[in-house]
Amino acid sequence: MLFDSHCHLTDSAFDSDREEVVTRAVAAGVEGMVTICSDPRDLDGILELTLNYRELWGTAGIHPHEARHSSPEALERVREVVHDQPRIRAVGECGLDFHYDHSPREIQRAVFRAQLDLAEELGRPVVVHSRDADVDTAHMIREYRGRVTGVLHCFTGGAELLAVGLNAGWYVSFSGMVTFPGFEARDLLRTVPGDRLLVETDSPYLAPVPHRGKRNEPAFVARVAEAVAQLRGEPLERIAAASVENARAFYGI
Ligand SMILES: [Zn+2]
């Protein structure tokens, strides 16, 4: 069995066949999926999905790309949903993206901090997106150490960020990028303890080889797990079992 710890099933890329996508994932052995929120506008769709499928859980949060659209009302909606809805398990995805800079950096930092505060208040983990922002993300993890735990999703960072995250008790998640020839965090992937490792598709983005460039979907998490197993020199069964155990432990499922 497998677990896709991070996908975006409310994305419009799935509008025409969402039900088949979930069915295909279950048929491929995916026993659980967490559909991640990028913007509070996703939440109605996420709530509906998590109530309709027993294999689905969700999150609530504001992606760094959307940080400039954040408002006290949006954060209040995140708080309410995480607090009131048992199938919504974490705050996120939130974080910092200094690669695309779709929102000004000061706003990204403030909206990330607001969600770390919410996570602490609600006693839930955070799902963190960090791209070209290792120094700032590590700083935040250190600052909230012992108060908030999280996952560095779709990890592409460096050794220092990885060490800071692991030392603070965080999890690390790898996506289909592990199948790309240019994937740079290969050596770091080998050093992540087996009980802190998650796998994800981040679908509909980042389809693993041989689907690269096409729409991704949770069934392809099997391909991610295979590549992770190969890079770590471990049996696929062990990585698959860890994907389930660790996702359940992280999200409190
Ligand atoms: Zn994502």
Side-chain angles (χ1 to χ4, degrees):
M1 296 304 269
L2 287 155
F3 204 110
D4 185 357
S5 71
H6 189 121
C7 56
H8 296 274
L9 289 174
T10 54
D11 194 282
S12 59
F14 296 118
D15 280 353
S16 62
D17 62 347
R18 197 165 278 112
E19 204 172 321
E20 288 93 321
V21 166
V22 175
T23 308
R24 267 202 295 278
V26 173
V30 180
E31 68 162 63
M33 293 154 255
V34 178
T35 187
I36 303 286
C37 180
S38 301
D39 182 298
R41 282 174 302 186
D42 300 340
L43 282 170
D44 288 340
I46 290 173
L47 287 172
E48 193 188 323
L49 282 170
T50 59
L51 296 173
N52 284 346
Y53 296 97
R54 60 180 187 82
E55 297 87 358
L56 282 183
W57 290 267
T59 68
I62 302 166
H63 194 286
H65 288 344
E66 309 299 333
R68 68 187 197 279
H69 303 303
S70 179
S71 64
E73 294 74 32
L75 286 162
E76 187 50 36
R77 171 99 165 111
V78 170
R79 178 210 307 270
E80 250 172 47
V81 169
V82 175
H83 183 268
D84 295 346
Q85 300 288 340
R87 296 190 72 84
I88 304 301
R89 304 305 311 162
V91 175
E93 63 182 291
C94 53
L96 303 168
D97 193 313
F98 297 167
H99 180 76
Y100 287 109
D101 281 323
H102 286 331
S103 292
R105 293 184 180 182
E106 265 325 295
I107 293 178
Q108 291 191 43
R109 289 189 186 96
V111 174
F112 185 20
R113 184 179 290 283
Q115 293 178 86
L116 287 161
D117 289 339
L118 264 186
E120 180 181 12
E121 177 198 324
L122 296 162
R124 294 294 183 82
V126 283
V127 175
V128 168
H129 171 111
S130 174
R131 183 139 186 224
D132 293 352
D134 279 23
V135 171
D136 286 68
T137 300
H139 178 85
M140 292 287 214
I141 293 174
R142 278 203 191 93
E143 187 180 328
Y144 283 83
R145 187 182 165 142
R147 299 190 279 147
V148 177
T149 179
V151 60
L152 291 163
H153 114 84
C154 190
F155 187 77
T156 55
E160 171 72 13
L161 176 60
L162 182 69
V164 169
L166 290 174
N167 284 333
W170 284 43
Y171 288 69
V172 186
S173 180
F174 293 90
S175 71
M177 286 179 83
V178 297
T179 67
F180 300 172
F183 179 63
E184 282 173 5
R186 239 161 250 261
D187 292 335
L188 294 178
L189 162 62
R190 296 190 183 101
T191 68
V192 175
D195 60 354
R196 299 283 194 81
L197 181 73
L198 296 175
V199 292
E200 64 172 278
T201 58
D202 205 13
S203 49
Y205 314 106
L206 296 176
V209 173
H211 310 287
R212 190 173 183 181
K214 304 201 187 101
R215 185 187 73 172
N216 197 3
E217 61 177 70
F220 300 163
V221 76
R223 187 63 205 106
V224 178
E226 265 169 40
V228 166
Q230 203 170 27
L231 287 170
R232 288 169 66 93
E234 289 184 51
L236 172 60
E237 299 69 45
R238 193 189 299 166
I239 298 300
S243 81
V244 176
E245 248 168 69
N246 298 345
R248 287 185 173 277
F250 174 72
Y251 286 111
I253 291 169

